[in-house]
Amino acid sequence: MKTYIAKRLLGAIPTLIFISMIVFVVIQLPPGDIVTSPLDRMQSQGVELSSEAIQNLRAQYNLDQPLPLQYLSWITNFVTGDMGYSYLFNRPVNELVGERIGYTLLITLSALLFTWAVAIPAGVYSAVRQYSLGDYALTTVMLVGLATPSFLLALIVMYFGYEWFGISIGGLFSPEYRDAPWSLARAGDFLSHLWIPMVVVGLGGTASTMRILRANLLDELNKPYVITARAKGVKPLKLLVKYPLRIAINPFISTIGFLLPTLISGEAIVSIVLNLPTTGPALVQALINQDMYLAGSFLMLLTILTIVGMLISDLLLAWADPRIRYE
Amino acid sequence: MSELKSQDAIESDNILQVRNLAVEFHTETGRTKALQGVSFDVPRGQVTAIIGESGSGKSVTASAIMRLIQPPGRVTAGSIDFAPSGSEPYDVLALVDKDSRLEQLRGDHISMVFQEPMTALAPVYTVGNQVAEAILCHREVSKKVAWDEAANMLQRVGIDDLQRRMQQYPFEFSGGMRQRVVIAMALVCQPDLLICDEPTTALDVTIQAEILTLIRQLKGELNNSVLFITHDIGVVAQLADHVVVMQGGRVLEAGTVRQVLKQPMHPYSKGLMAAIPGLAPKGQRLATVASVVGATDITTAYPLTRLADGRQISLSPSQLKAFGHE
């Protein structure tokens, strides 16, 4: 088990290096750079800068150096904990990320828990009662949920929240708590706002999770080992949980890693609609404005989170399934 | 000479009496009758073998006895009277799902060894856990006691180094060893009846002999009744006291090993015996059942008739007359 963990940890390093290069290149791909849009703005206002001034401006941001050098200085700073400066927000990236990534993680993880809390019981029910009325009803509801884009759902929830309850449900805090220091009341206010992004982000994954669990469980339900256990006299509910469900759940553990990126990108769109102070909206703005340090840092952090998520799911799977542990 | 009726009371020397059992499977293409009018006895303390080709209904019969037929399958008629030692006899098929006797029936009074040891054990639990579970399902004992009893039984089926082996997972066992585990799991509660559903079919020949020896030896020690399902007539000759010949979901002939193997009366049984490779003259093409019987003789169903010597047979009245029976 220890060598397995060590192997997986070492394997993550080249992956991270490779992805950091791709991230850097992708950020550079669109024409123009961080000074382009301010220059355009100045030109439209009639201010003409000499080419020498432009050169100086670019040199100030290290933009005159060749790409590999730019990459190296970015990545070394990143590794030592300095993520650079955001020209867009005029603040260090570390500050911006620090105040946002916690909310992103919180929303993503609670959405994940929501997805499972709904999808697993529903999946078990529709597998055990295959082709029953309940099976069809659940499947229909889930597919509607799958087909509804999350931003649309967010808009609908906002509309009804305002129409019926008279509350504005954008953001993660009510106005009076937005800048208040943390207290019990503020935490309560936060939780009362959290459920909306949780449901909106989580609902998209619920249908597929339920259908996958249903299919997995149907595969397992009539396996010989289940019949052996039934012939042994194991009580029905214990039989279901201990044998087929226990094994049908394994593939889920391995999808934690895949789910995280989906949830994070789903979260970005929902956050823009709901006006949440998470990484998503800031990432989008940074990308539009070619704020390379901010965008790069967000992308890298999300990548690291995803890889860590994969790692955790691999380790959980090895813990849960002896066949993987012993390979 | 008499017909076998489902109203027959269970005879005291039988542990199990199957009468007119019928099982159907509902599929998209229609109903398939897997069993029709299946009747036979399992005498207490003896080995009864069911023989027949693939698809003759042997395994479905075993599943029906354990109440393991799942939809789309359904028992449509018949009775299975079971007389466990120390309790009143009852009809297995009449038990409702919540009856505590059904729980007791599975694993405690009747247990089963399956054909495929590679898949009969769950991959994610240790061997010790799965054998001990059989005890925990039926006895009010601590986990420690159950584990010790499981170790005891595993030792009796020939597994050594128990400290280590019981903590291992099924995939760390060879096929023969797994089948020993399945046998231990089936016998650990000392059932009155052990059903073996082709327990050696998936094993190679040398292991087959070992497993058969083990089953016979344990039967001698535990003095249980055995219902042994196989298509290997050699195994039947070695192991069984009684034989039931099945074909196409029906019982064609049933009797003692001597009666059925030495003097088969039903044309199909005769065909089966003629098709045993070892008994056929050398240098000749081996007979097939069809070449001996002809297809027409076995397609018509006749009710089972009990003859004066105890043998049961499914023949037309005129065929019976030809044998000198009225």
Side-chain angles (χ1 to χ4, degrees):
Chain A
M1 189 72 183
K2 272 179 196 150
T3 48
Y4 179 78
I5 297 175
K7 245 193 240 169
R8 296 285 298 121
L9 278 174
L10 283 176
I13 293 172
T15 318
L16 277 173
I17 294 174
F18 186 62
I19 292 180
S20 72
M21 290 179 186
I22 294 179
V23 164
F24 191 78
V25 170
V26 166
I27 297 169
Q28 304 287 347
L29 274 183
D33 50 41
I34 185 72
V35 294
T36 313
S37 43
L39 280 178
D40 284 349
R41 222 176 301 130
M42 285 158 122
Q43 269 167 359
S44 66
Q45 286 163 6
V47 185
E48 285 294 329
L49 282 177
S50 65
S51 63
E52 200 174 320
I54 294 174
Q55 283 291 327
N56 284 340
L57 201 58
R58 300 181 83 94
Q60 201 184 326
Y61 294 123
N62 282 336
L63 292 172
D64 53 344
Q65 287 174 6
L67 269 187
L69 277 182
Q70 285 190 43
Y71 168 75
L72 273 181
S73 72
W74 173 65
I75 199 70
T76 23
N77 283 334
F78 188 88
V79 170
T80 53
D82 175 14
M83 295 192 270
Y85 193 82
S86 164
Y87 307 113
L88 184 66
F89 291 88
N90 268 323
R91 288 169 66 191
V93 174
N94 288 26
E95 269 180 34
L96 278 166
V97 168
E99 66 195 29
R100 282 163 185 271
I101 203 144
Y103 292 129
T104 299
L105 280 181
L106 203 65
I107 290 174
T108 309
L109 290 179
S110 55
L112 189 62
L113 289 181
F114 173 81
T115 303
W116 286 350
V118 174
I120 290 178
V124 170
Y125 178 87
S126 52
V128 174
R129 301 256 181 279
Q130 191 189 9
Y131 302 139
S132 69
L133 202 64
D135 176 21
Y136 287 122
L138 278 171
T139 304
T140 311
V141 171
M142 293 292 168
L143 288 179
V144 170
L146 178 72
T148 312
S150 54
F151 68 87
L152 186 64
L153 193 65
L155 286 174
I156 294 171
V157 170
M158 279 173 85
Y159 173 77
F160 284 112
Y162 186 76
E163 278 290 296
W164 290 352
F165 304 110
I167 48 163
S168 161
I169 50 174
L172 282 175
F173 296 100
S174 305
E176 62 268 33
Y177 290 110
R178 190 158 295 151
D179 298 312
W182 277 102
S183 63
L184 218 58
R186 188 176 192 246
D189 181 63
F190 173 68
L191 286 180
S192 71
H193 281 80
L194 179 66
W195 71 270
I196 294 163
M198 175 180 100
V199 171
V200 171
V201 176
L203 205 62
T206 309
S208 57
T209 308
M210 176 210 149
R211 293 300 291 182
I212 293 168
L213 180 63
R214 179 179 180 273
N216 286 349
L217 196 54
L218 282 174
D219 275 351
E220 296 297 328
L221 276 177
N222 289 313
K223 286 272 175 76
Y225 68 85
V226 181
I227 296 166
T228 308
R230 190 176 292 128
K232 200 156 68 170
V234 184
K235 290 194 174 75
L237 186 66
K238 191 187 175 199
L239 179 83
L240 176 70
V241 174
K242 182 172 175 181
Y243 290 95
L245 185 59
R246 169 72 177 67
I247 290 167
I249 230 92
N250 272 352
F252 278 95
I253 303 177
S254 61
T255 56
I256 298 175
F258 307 135
L259 264 175
L260 275 180
T262 334
L263 286 173
I264 286 171
S265 55
E267 180 270 332
I269 299 165
V270 172
S271 292
I272 292 168
V273 176
L274 289 175
N275 187 25
L276 305 180
T278 60
T279 53
L283 173 61
V284 174
Q285 281 186 52
L287 286 172
I288 292 172
N289 292 294
Q290 308 233 358
D291 189 354
M292 55 176 274
Y293 288 123
L294 185 59
S297 303
F298 274 141
L299 288 179
M300 261 327 274
L301 285 176
L302 296 182
T303 306
I304 291 169
L305 282 178
T306 307
I307 288 178
V308 168
M310 295 274 211
L311 193 64
I312 290 173
S313 66
D314 280 358
L315 294 181
L316 277 176
L317 195 62
W319 168 75
D321 193 337
R323 287 169 295 183
I324 291 169
R325 205 183 317 156
Y326 282 74
E327 252 171 26
Chain B
M1 189 166 116
S2 61
E3 260 184 51
L4 298 164
K5 293 269 169 54
S6 48
Q7 293 84 5
D8 291 358
I10 186 158
E11 287 162 33
S12 59
D13 51 352
N14 288 342
I15 187 157
L16 193 78
Q17 233 169 251
V18 178
R19 290 292 176 269
N20 286 316
L21 180 64
V23 173
E24 286 181 0
F25 284 83
H26 291 252
T27 56
E28 281 172 15
T29 51
R31 288 184 197 177
T32 309
K33 290 181 176 170
L35 296 181
Q36 295 178 71
V38 167
S39 302
F40 62 92
D41 301 334
V42 180
R44 194 180 295 280
Q46 301 193 6
V47 179
T48 305
I50 302 182
I51 57 173
E53 313 163 36
S54 301
S56 59
K58 312 183 294 282
S59 293
V60 176
T61 306
S63 299
I65 294 169
M66 296 286 276
R67 287 280 298 268
L68 289 175
I69 306 256
Q70 296 283 315
R74 201 165 64 90
V75 176
T76 50
S79 65
I80 300 175
D81 286 306
F82 175 55
S85 57
S87 18
E88 285 291 299
Y90 56 86
D91 179 1
V92 172
L93 296 177
L95 296 180
V96 292
D97 281 346
K98 290 204 172 104
D99 198 315
S100 65
R101 282 179 296 183
L102 183 58
E103 225 164 82
Q104 217 176 7
L105 173 91
R106 290 177 180 157
D108 194 6
H109 285 161
I110 306 182
S111 63
M112 201 155 165
V113 174
F114 294 90
Q115 181 171 354
E116 190 39 88
M118 302 315 263
T119 53
L121 295 165
V124 293
Y125 296 107
T126 60
V127 162
N129 176 326
Q130 295 188 57
V131 178
E133 186 185 36
I135 303 163
L136 290 168
C137 283
H138 301 291
R139 308 271 184 272
E140 300 279 327
V141 294
S142 67
K143 279 193 176 163
K144 170 86 179 62
V145 172
W147 193 269
D148 288 346
E149 271 184 53
N152 194 1
M153 196 67 224
L154 283 166
Q155 193 166 25
R156 285 175 84 165
V157 299
I159 290 171
D160 302 322
D161 192 11
L162 288 167
Q163 283 286 336
R164 189 174 64 88
R165 291 297 253 170
M166 284 177 79
Q167 298 289 356
Q168 287 187 328
Y169 291 89
F171 58 85
E172 298 173 81
F173 282 62
S174 66
M177 281 296 160
R178 283 190 213 191
Q179 196 61 303
R180 284 170 193 266
V181 171
V182 174
I183 290 171
M185 202 160 80
L187 289 177
V188 75
C189 286
Q190 314 223 332
D192 294 322
L193 175 62
L194 175 69
I195 301 177
C196 300
D197 186 0
E198 305 203 32
T200 56
T201 306
L203 304 172
D204 69 55
V205 179
T206 49
I207 308 295
Q208 278 184 12
E210 283 177 33
I211 294 291
L212 288 176
T213 311
L214 179 70
I215 291 173
R216 189 161 46 187
Q217 175 207 332
L218 289 169
K219 190 209 150 267
E221 291 171 17
L222 302 171
N223 200 28
N224 51 352
S225 318
V226 177
L227 181 62
F228 197 95
I229 294 168
T230 181
H231 53 238
D232 185 338
I233 294 171
V235 169
V236 174
Q238 282 177 45
L239 204 68
D241 304 302
H242 298 266
V243 184
V244 178
V245 181
M246 287 188 74
Q247 203 275 334
R250 296 197 187 91
V251 173
L252 298 185
E253 182 165 7
T256 62
V257 167
R258 180 173 288 273
Q259 288 169 342
V260 178
L261 297 198
K262 288 271 158 85
Q263 292 145 350
M265 280 173 69
H266 195 283
Y268 179 79
S269 314
K270 287 181 186 165
L272 270 186
M273 301 314 145
I276 301 172
L279 303 179
K282 283 212 165 64
Q284 279 183 29
R285 179 177 283 270
L286 186 63
T288 62
V289 178
S291 70
V292 178
V293 185
T296 49
D297 275 341
I298 52 170
T299 46
T300 331
Y302 299 104
L304 276 171
T305 309
R306 193 192 291 273
L307 306 182
D309 59 359
R311 181 197 304 240
Q312 284 144 233
I313 195 150
S314 155
L315 285 177
S316 70
S318 62
Q319 284 171 310
L320 280 170
K321 218 169 253 172
F323 282 110
H325 293 277
E326 292 293 329

